[in-house]
Amino acid sequence: MNFREICRERYSVRSFSARRVERETLDGILALLRLAPTALNHQPYRVLVAESDEALGKLEESAKATLYGAKTVLILCSDRSRAWANRYSGEDDVLLDMGILTATALYAAQEYGVDSCCVCNFDPAAVREAFSLPGHLTPDALILLGYRTSDARPSERHDLRRPTEAFTDFV
């Protein structure tokens, strides 16, 4: 599958089967995450892999995350202690780097034939507490991984894309 096909075919799955992502496949996805571009290659993130019933329960109960039956969840945490700061604005780049990491995770999963869904509607403080994360790590996104059920369908909003001209200016 080429990148164009990956971008066209991928959608947020909200109905996962009980089938677990195989370790070899998960290792391949994580190896691609390792290659995600970051500012000055600082890699300001930590990835927790939640697969146990206990860990998944913590995400659903404590953090109030909807997992749609996914049996593997990547908890993407930013690490501001590793972030690069723009010398002009003084702002750190961590949110940009986390966005790139998130997109890489979604497309890497598709490359491996694994379905995914990015969830940001959860309580990060509850995740920090439930997994005893140090203060410099902030849970930013959950990447649900697995295999869709036969009745899974894209959201009705999936194909609502603005035309290129609506978001592009040539200057």
Side-chain angles (χ1 to χ4, degrees):
M1 190 179 301
N2 67 39
F3 190 66
R4 182 178 295 126
E5 291 169 328
I6 287 172
C7 289
R8 283 188 179 146
E9 293 179 18
R10 195 217 152 262
Y11 68 87
S12 294
V13 170
R14 292 180 178 87
S15 181
F16 289 92
S17 73
R19 179 180 167 200
R20 293 189 180 271
V21 176
E22 300 79 7
R23 178 48 56 103
E24 183 177 318
T25 301
L26 184 56
D27 288 345
I29 293 168
L30 293 170
L32 290 177
L33 280 184
R34 186 179 152 269
L35 302 176
T38 62
L40 294 179
N41 201 28
H42 281 197
Q43 303 166 35
Y45 52 80
R46 187 87 186 153
V47 178
L48 305 178
V49 180
E51 294 182 302
S52 70
D53 291 340
E54 178 186 2
L56 297 172
K58 286 179 182 180
L59 289 172
E60 288 184 314
E61 294 160 26
S62 301
K64 307 295 186 233
T66 302
L67 304 183
Y68 303 106
K71 301 298 183 197
T72 303
V73 177
L74 304 181
I75 306 170
L76 304 185
C77 301
S78 56
D79 182 348
R80 291 199 185 265
S81 72
R82 297 184 59 86
W84 170 81
N86 181 303
R87 68 177 153 210
Y88 300 104
S89 69
E91 301 275 329
D92 71 38
D93 69 313
V94 76
L95 292 180
L96 178 59
D97 285 347
M98 291 307 294
I100 294 168
L101 183 71
T102 300
T104 300
L106 298 172
Y107 291 132
Q110 186 73 19
E111 169 71 15
Y112 277 89
V114 174
D115 296 303
S116 63
C117 183
C118 179
V119 173
C120 295
N121 190 22
F122 65 93
D123 183 347
V127 171
R128 179 181 281 124
E129 183 178 331
F131 294 97
S132 303
L133 298 178
H136 65 281
L137 293 181
T138 301
D140 293 308
L142 305 177
I143 305 298
L144 314 182
L145 297 175
Y147 302 96
R148 70 183 87 164
T149 60
S150 60
D151 62 340
R153 300 286 179 266
S155 159
E156 66 278 354
R157 297 178 306 277
H158 178 74
D159 291 323
L160 297 177
R161 304 292 175 176
R162 296 185 298 162
T164 307
E165 306 81 41
F167 63 83
T168 307
D169 293 308
F170 290 87
V171 294

